[in-house]
Amino acid sequence: METKKIVIVEDHQLFRDGLKAMLDSRKDLEVIAEAEDGLQALEVIRENTPDLLLLDLSMPRLGGISVIKESKRLYPEVAVLALTIHESDQYVLEAFNAGANGYCIKDASREELLVAINSVLKGRTYISPGIADNVMEGYIEGRKQMKTRSAWDNITQREREVLKLLAEGYLNKEISGMLHISVKTVEKHRSNLMGKLDLHSAAALTSFAIEQGLVHKDSYPG
């Protein structure tokens, strides 16, 4: 029996440890590495090239959607299963559009999670039964547009990454280093965000990021 290699990307250690213990109890699955934020996740993938990336979407520094996009760009053969608390259409569609192979809710049973893992490892698409059927139907049929357009829909993926890091309290210079872009580019993205969202302070941007679920309120440095 071939053992499938798994990387767990989850910022809560207790949950991560529980996942690892559960998966390592099976002879056909092996957790070969772990990461606790999005940037670390990409490094771990590069170093290990797993069969499966088990990924939380709400991650520090670089969000799960960005991790999915980048990992699929660099390693399209690595299956990605999003494991998250988010059940809204926005998160589900964004995850699949980014390249996710499956989407599982964190309160799933052990049996459901194993079904999800086995499904994506076999090249099938998986989505938790608890999520509205029309979300998946809309994706399969190629109707990938959101139901309504809003200011948030006009924000690019890179702008979302910058917004998340700004809300987490990082300075422009730190963000430029993390995302490998110039400080001027960071400033441009920040200016674009304020213009598109009609928000005119760092506090307002942070509040908006929290509302959108990019960062958790209890992790806000202010």
Side-chain angles (χ1 to χ4, degrees), residues 7 9 35 37-46 53 55 67:
V7 165
V9 184
D37 67 58
L39 289 179
Q40 187 182 60
L42 295 178
E43 295 174 6
V44 168
I45 297 167
R46 278 194 293 268
L53 185 64
L55 172 73
V67 174

Side-chain angles (χ1 to χ4, degrees), residues 7-21:
V7 165
I8 297 174
V9 184
E10 164 63 51
D11 60 327
H12 291 96
Q13 184 173 348
L14 192 62
F15 190 77
R16 194 168 68 242
D17 290 346
L19 281 175
K20 185 177 187 303

Side-chain angles (χ1 to χ4, degrees), residues 109-127:
S109 65
R110 178 181 186 276
E111 290 72 23
E112 182 186 336
L113 178 56
L114 290 174
V115 168
I117 289 171
N118 289 330
S119 294
V120 298
L121 284 173
K122 291 177 181 178
R124 302 171 188 156
T125 299
Y126 182 89
I127 187 168

Side-chain angles (χ1 to χ4, degrees), residues 17-55:
D17 290 346
L19 281 175
K20 185 177 187 303
M22 184 192 81
L23 297 174
D24 281 345
S25 69
R26 292 180 57 101
K27 295 181 179 179
D28 57 336
L29 302 174
E30 179 188 3
V31 177
I32 58 169
E34 303 170 40
E36 58 185 22
D37 67 58
L39 289 179
Q40 187 182 60
L42 295 178
E43 295 174 6
V44 168
I45 297 167
R46 278 194 293 268
E47 293 169 357
N48 296 275
T49 316
D51 297 297
L52 173 67
L53 185 64
L54 193 57
L55 172 73

Side-chain angles (χ1 to χ4, degrees), residues 195-214:
K196 290 180 179 180
L197 299 173
D198 195 24
L199 300 172
H200 307 289
S201 70
L205 287 174
T206 298
S207 295
F208 183 83
I210 292 171
E211 290 172 7
Q212 293 298 321
L214 287 180

